[in-house]
Amino acid sequence: MFFPTEEVRNEERAKYIEKQKQRQELQRQQEERIAAARKAAEKAPHETAMDKLKETIKLINSIQIGSPMNEEYITAALKQICDILDYCLTESRPEINSEE
């Protein structure tokens, strides 16, 4: 019967630890790639505001006289307009403060 020596066990342990380090490094690299892809997919704030503006225009154009959906369209459009105004005010705030 063969019993591994202390040296063989230490070698196996070192190989196992090295493989674990490699796995951790690969996982870290994969997480970095995923984070970079998410960041690249994010829209700039002005692009988001422009999208909201387009949605608002669609909502406003959907309002029809006598339609039971008018209240929902108007409410949604007003919320979008508030978001857009909030963005505009946030963006212009540094300029206003620098002029004072």
Side-chain angles (χ1 to χ4, degrees):
M1 202 168 212
F2 174 72
F3 292 103
T5 63
E6 186 70 28
E7 186 177 314
V8 171
R9 278 186 266 167
N10 286 341
E11 286 178 21
E12 288 176 358
R13 187 176 301 131
K15 287 179 185 177
Y16 175 78
I17 291 171
E18 186 61 31
K19 285 183 181 180
Q20 283 296 99
K21 287 180 182 178
Q22 289 174 350
R23 284 188 201 115
Q24 288 174 346
E25 178 62 20
L26 288 173
Q27 184 175 0
R28 185 191 64 76
Q29 290 174 358
Q30 183 178 12
E31 288 171 356
E32 284 181 356
R33 284 191 297 270
I34 290 170
R38 279 189 188 135
K39 185 168 179 118
E42 289 179 1
K43 292 184 177 183
H46 72 278
E47 291 173 327
T48 304
M50 291 302 293
D51 289 346
K52 287 183 182 274
L53 181 59
K54 289 177 187 175
E55 290 175 27
T56 304
I57 291 169
K58 286 180 186 176
L59 289 168
I60 291 171
N61 288 334
S62 299
I63 297 171
Q64 297 175 2
I65 296 174
S67 172
M69 298 293 289
N70 280 347
E71 187 175 328
E72 291 178 35
Y73 291 140
I74 293 169
T75 303
L78 289 172
K79 286 179 182 178
Q80 295 284 3
I81 290 169
C82 289
D83 289 343
I84 294 166
L85 290 173
D86 183 54
Y87 166 76
C88 292
L89 289 172
T90 304
E91 285 299 306
S92 66
R93 193 170 296 136
E95 295 171 11
I96 293 170
N97 291 337
S98 66
E99 290 175 5
E100 292 176 353

